[in-house]
Amino acid sequence: QVQLVESGGGLVQAGGSLRLSCIASVRPFSSYGMAWFRQAPGKEREFVAVINWSTSSTYYADSVKGRFTISRDNAKNTVYLQMSSLKPEDTAVYYCAAKRYNTGTSPGGYDYWGQGTQVTVSS
């Protein structure tokens, strides 16, 4: 059974940093585009960042560009989200998602999802 397991969330002050990790049991990991989404209370799930499965090219939501960095380690089946200069509006549950031989900014179409990890940024 495929699993995506996120970790690294927590409580941080505004301006601080966190690094999220997502270990995926999809095989082969190198054939999956990987993305991070987030969902704040009462809001729809929104795109954060995505990384291509073969070129490792990346794309970010405007709201996090220049502050967040997505990366992947195919040898460890892991995708990361380094978050810096965090703001209270970054508070949300963060989810990783996997899409075979594809990427995208819409939640629909992703094949697998993790259970999410809570990130809370205090002002």
Side-chain angles (χ1 to χ4, degrees):
Q1 183 174 346
V2 171
Q3 283 189 311
L4 277 65
V5 181
E6 302 98 335
S7 62
L11 173 64
V12 63
Q13 288 188 332
S17 299
L18 282 175
R19 188 176 81 154
L20 306 183
S21 300
C22 171
I23 300 175
S25 64
V26 292
R27 295 287 188 274
F29 180 74
S30 59
S31 69
Y32 283 80
M34 300 298 296
W36 288 94
F37 291 82
R38 66 187 182 186
Q39 189 166 17
K43 295 187 176 182
E44 293 187 352
R45 192 166 297 189
E46 67 172 0
F47 166 77
V48 175
V50 64
I51 186 165
N52 185 276
W53 68 98
S54 62
T55 65
S56 290
S57 61
T58 59
Y59 183 75
Y60 299 90
D62 287 343
S63 59
V64 307
K65 200 172 296 181
R67 300 187 298 121
F68 291 10
T69 302
I70 188 172
S71 61
R72 65 189 297 157
D73 185 338
N74 288 346
K76 296 182 178 180
N77 282 27
T78 301
V79 62
Y80 303 97
L81 186 69
Q82 177 67 48
M83 306 185 295
S84 303
S85 302
L86 283 161
K87 304 175 182 180
E89 51 264 43
D90 294 318
T91 295
V93 177
Y94 283 71
Y95 300 90
C96 70
K99 192 172 187 179
R100 192 167 188 192
Y101 293 128
N102 212 331
T103 58
T105 60
S106 172
Y110 274 83
D111 301 312
Y112 304 103
W113 290 85
Q115 82 290 347
T117 186
Q118 176 71 48
V119 172
T120 303
V121 184
S122 64
S123 56

